[in-house]
Amino acid sequence: MTPETITAAASGTLTLGDLPVHRVGLGAMRLTGNAAFHLGTPSDRARSLAVLRRAVELGVNHIDTAAFYFSSLRSANELINTALAPYADGLVIATKVGPFREQDGSWGTAARPDQLRGHVEENLRQLGRDHLDLVYLRRMRQDSIAEHFGALAELRQAGLIRHLGVSAVGPRHLDEALAIAPVVAVQNRYGLDTPGPEGKELLRLCGERGIAFVPFYSVAGETGERGTHERVAADADTVVAEIAEAHGVSPAQVRIAWTLHQGPHVLAIPGTGDPAHLTENIAAGALKLSEGELGRLNAFHQ
């Protein structure tokens, strides 16, 4: 595999509502620093802008972001606006609302339904858009998401949002949302290191219902989050490394390829602020794993 000659188109295409996107996109969180949110060191601005521009050159037409993706010096939305506006036709920018952070980086309480319009408008302002292509409601431990999702459905009717998604949900929350308005994507944590029956059930339901499944933390989870899955994670690392060596690729590329092999309705949104990693991530969309390799990897989800 020669990463320099491969574009995101090699990963295939999936439609979010009426918006076609390549199956390998870009997660924007890592553009702001070398660790999530306010942790770590803020990114080099010029390098982050270069990553965004290079991603589009390599065919990425799906970028996942949020207003709460910022470090002490960088805002993901501002970087996207600066690097890519005026936006190319066909570029889909997805964002999330529900959580929010204060200016000092501390997390505020989960938004009430009547506050979600303000979250949407903040994303519009930062991105320089008059509408948002896709907005996920990120569930913040609510037992029911009906009221919150209903508030976003009203904003969709008003023309501020084109398509709706849900994030950090279970099957019953997806049913709640579908009873209110169409859902084009579900964004949940899902990876080799995080097996669980609920994740597999959502993956299956999304495939049956024509809904995109968009895993986050599928390449590497947050620091310290492996927890009770520590042994599973260590065993997975070993198998991933063996498969990566056999293909002459990085372990991260194997994890991205495994994600895409979970079904034609699955998208990958690996995040990076490194131009070299960006190229590798996009090239992973062309990596084909054998049935035997997939069997070894899928065994962590039995």
Side-chain angles (χ1 to χ4, degrees):
M1 187 166 57
T2 56
E4 295 78 8
T5 64
I6 293 174
T7 73
S11 63
T13 301
L14 180 67
T15 301
L16 293 170
D18 60 348
L19 303 172
V21 297
H22 295 139
R23 292 182 64 210
V24 172
L26 174 66
M29 185 173 67
R30 298 292 181 179
L31 294 172
T32 66
N34 67 350
F37 308 119
H38 59 289
L39 305 173
T41 304
S43 64
D44 178 81
R45 178 177 171 78
R47 179 164 141 162
S48 293
L49 294 174
V51 166
L52 283 161
R53 291 170 179 143
R54 183 57 177 157
V56 172
E57 290 173 355
L58 291 174
V60 169
N61 57 2
H62 173 215
I63 298 176
D64 184 85
T65 186
F68 53 85
Y69 286 177
F70 65 86
S71 64
S72 60
L73 296 178
R74 304 281 175 259
S75 156
N77 282 356
E78 185 276 328
L79 290 167
I80 292 168
N81 189 346
T82 299
L84 303 179
Y87 299 103
D89 291 342
L91 177 63
V92 175
I93 299 178
T95 189
K96 293 166 285 295
V97 296
F100 72 94
R101 296 168 64 208
E102 306 291 351
Q103 289 185 336
D104 64 1
S106 62
W107 288 97
T109 56
R112 301 187 308 269
D114 63 307
Q115 294 175 313
L116 292 179
R117 184 183 184 104
H119 287 213
V120 167
E121 290 178 343
E122 180 68 2
N123 279 281
L124 288 168
R125 182 189 66 78
Q126 292 178 358
L127 291 166
R129 305 290 297 266
D130 61 4
H131 75 279
L132 298 173
D133 298 319
L134 169 58
V135 175
Y136 292 95
L137 172 67
R138 172 67 63 84
R139 185 176 74 92
M140 299 295 289
R141 296 177 293 277
Q142 298 99 332
D143 184 60
S144 169
I145 65 169
E147 192 174 357
H148 288 77
F149 192 78
L152 290 184
E154 291 177 3
L155 297 178
R156 175 175 171 267
Q157 289 293 324
L160 296 182
I161 300 171
R162 190 161 180 175
H163 295 294
L164 296 173
V166 289
S167 177
V169 297
R172 66 184 179 87
H173 303 114
L174 176 58
D175 288 339
E176 273 190 315
L178 286 169
I180 296 168
V183 174
V184 304
V186 170
Q187 187 176 118
N188 268 32
R189 182 167 185 173
Y190 188 82
L192 281 172
D193 300 336
T194 53
E198 186 170 81
K200 291 182 68 175
E201 177 67 4
L202 268 173
L203 177 70
R204 182 187 66 81
L205 289 173
C206 286
E208 291 176 354
R209 297 174 181 181
I211 298 170
F213 187 75
V214 190
F216 63 84
Y217 292 148
S218 60
V219 174
E222 283 188 309
T223 302
E225 281 205 358
R226 286 185 166 188
T228 57
H229 299 301
E230 188 72 39
R231 183 172 180 178
V232 173
D235 291 344
D237 285 345
T238 299
V239 173
V240 167
E242 292 173 358
I243 294 172
E245 184 177 6
H247 284 271
V249 299
S250 71
Q253 287 175 296
V254 171
R255 288 175 180 271
I256 293 168
W258 175 84
T259 298
L260 295 174
H261 277 76
Q262 298 309 293
H265 63 298
V266 177
L267 298 176
I269 48 170
T272 184
D274 184 314
H277 289 165
L278 169 72
T279 303
E280 288 184 357
N281 291 347
I282 292 171
L287 176 60
K288 304 302 182 186
L289 302 175
S290 71
E291 290 298 320
E293 290 165 340
L294 285 171
R296 295 181 69 193
L297 295 170
N298 288 340
F300 296 105
H301 276 261
Q302 299 302 317

